[in-house]
Amino acid sequence: MKNIVSWKVFFVLLFLGLLSVVCVFPYIVTAQGEVLAKTGKPLALIFVLQLIQTLVLFSFTIFFGLVLTKKIGFRLPLIEAIVEKGDYKKIFKDIFARSVLIGVVVAVAIYAIDALFTVWGATISTHQSYAPAWQKLLAAFYGGATEEILMRLFLMSFFIWIGMKLGKRSEPTKVNIVVSIFLSSIIFGLGHLPITASLTKLDSLIVSRAIVLNGIGGVVFGWLFWKRGLDSAMFAHFTTDIVLLTLLP
């Protein structure tokens, strides 16, 4: 049990997950205040319950995600270097700028394709423009931490591991990894449907919009997880969300 996972990495990721919930909550209150009010529960109670839920969920997903990541040969190079006192400055220099640039490109691509969906009639008002800039900036941290831990560290790793088991291989094949990237990206898009349903009526076009727009990011972030490590996917996702929430109208 002691050597199954790096507990230092585990607690770093758990801290990031809990911190992301704290960061995104003000934005949720602004963007979804009416929905929260209908629950009849005080905001403080909702916040505490969300933290507890995150603690339980992430304790499970991070642990098994790290186990699976080790089995499939993927890494978290920057976080591992920090906790193991390695040359984290060099790793940061190697992955940060490229990850940020990729995140910007993903944001622009999502924005452009969303414009096409708007032309086709899939218009959604999220009221995000009413949220202060600081709330949007903090909310971006949620995607970079929480969604990457759930979708890449756990889910994508799980699909790759299943593929290895089915193929009776000790290492994943490229086909296995690519299929896992697309599967986790589709689920990533479908995972946004509940919040979408609170904003508009779901139809085939709206569902397609959720899958395609989120899938663009999912595929790119999955590729980064494969080639550069989870840290790179986190940086890119964080950058994408910053650009979409604060820079693009």
Side-chain angles (χ1 to χ4, degrees):
M1 187 75 173
K2 185 176 181 180
N3 297 321
I4 292 179
V5 300
S6 168
W7 289 107
K8 290 181 179 179
V9 174
F10 172 88
F11 284 112
V12 168
L13 292 176
L14 185 60
F15 171 76
L16 290 176
L18 292 172
L19 180 61
S20 70
V21 172
V22 175
C23 289
V24 79
F25 196 73
Y27 178 81
I28 291 177
V29 172
T30 299
Q32 294 289 304
E34 295 179 2
V35 177
L36 295 177
K38 291 179 181 178
T39 66
K41 298 177 181 177
L43 289 178
L45 177 60
I46 294 175
F47 176 69
V48 171
L49 291 176
Q50 187 62 48
L51 278 179
I52 294 173
Q53 176 183 320
T54 302
L55 178 63
V56 174
L57 175 63
F58 272 49
S59 294
F60 174 86
T61 55
I62 292 172
F63 176 80
F64 284 102
L66 290 175
V67 171
L68 294 170
T69 299
K70 189 175 181 180
K71 289 182 179 294
I72 66 177
F74 284 23
R75 296 190 62 197
L76 299 80
L78 181 59
I79 295 176
E80 290 171 356
I82 291 173
V83 301
E84 294 168 5
K85 298 181 179 179
D87 192 0
Y88 62 88
K89 292 182 180 179
K90 180 180 183 301
I91 295 174
F92 179 81
K93 184 178 179 181
D94 289 341
I95 69 173
F96 181 73
R98 181 179 299 182
S99 301
V100 169
L101 178 60
I102 291 174
V104 172
V105 172
V106 170
V108 173
I110 291 174
Y111 186 76
I113 296 176
D114 186 32
L116 290 178
F117 276 103
T118 300
V119 172
W120 295 334
T123 303
I124 298 176
S125 175
T126 62
H127 303 293
Q128 69 158 343
S129 59
Y130 302 135
W134 67 270
Q135 290 185 2
K136 298 176 185 179
L137 186 61
L138 289 177
F141 185 75
Y142 181 85
T146 295
E147 292 178 352
E148 287 308 303
I149 289 172
L150 293 175
M151 293 294 107
R152 252 58 68 182
L153 180 73
F154 176 72
L155 190 62
M156 179 178 153
S157 298
F158 175 72
F159 285 143
I160 294 173
W161 178 75
I162 289 294
M164 289 169 55
K165 287 295 181 181
L166 293 176
K168 297 180 179 179
R169 297 176 181 272
S170 59
E171 295 181 355
T173 63
K174 288 185 178 179
V175 173
N176 180 5
I177 295 172
V178 170
V179 170
S180 299
I181 289 175
F182 277 94
L183 284 176
S184 58
S185 298
I186 292 172
I187 293 175
F188 179 50
L190 293 175
H192 287 77
L193 289 180
I195 188 66
T196 303
S198 70
L199 299 169
T200 188
K201 182 179 179 181
L202 295 182
D203 56 29
S204 59
L205 187 59
I206 293 295
V207 172
S208 298
R209 174 187 179 275
I211 294 175
V212 171
L213 296 185
N214 291 288
I216 293 170
V219 169
V220 175
F221 304 147
W223 178 81
L224 283 172
F225 177 37
W226 173 24
K227 294 295 185 178
R228 308 290 291 180
L230 186 69
D231 325 80
S232 182
M234 284 181 162
F235 283 135
H237 195 151
F238 180 62
T239 303
T240 295
D241 283 359
I242 287 179
V243 174
L244 288 174
L245 288 171
T246 64
L247 299 181
L248 294 177

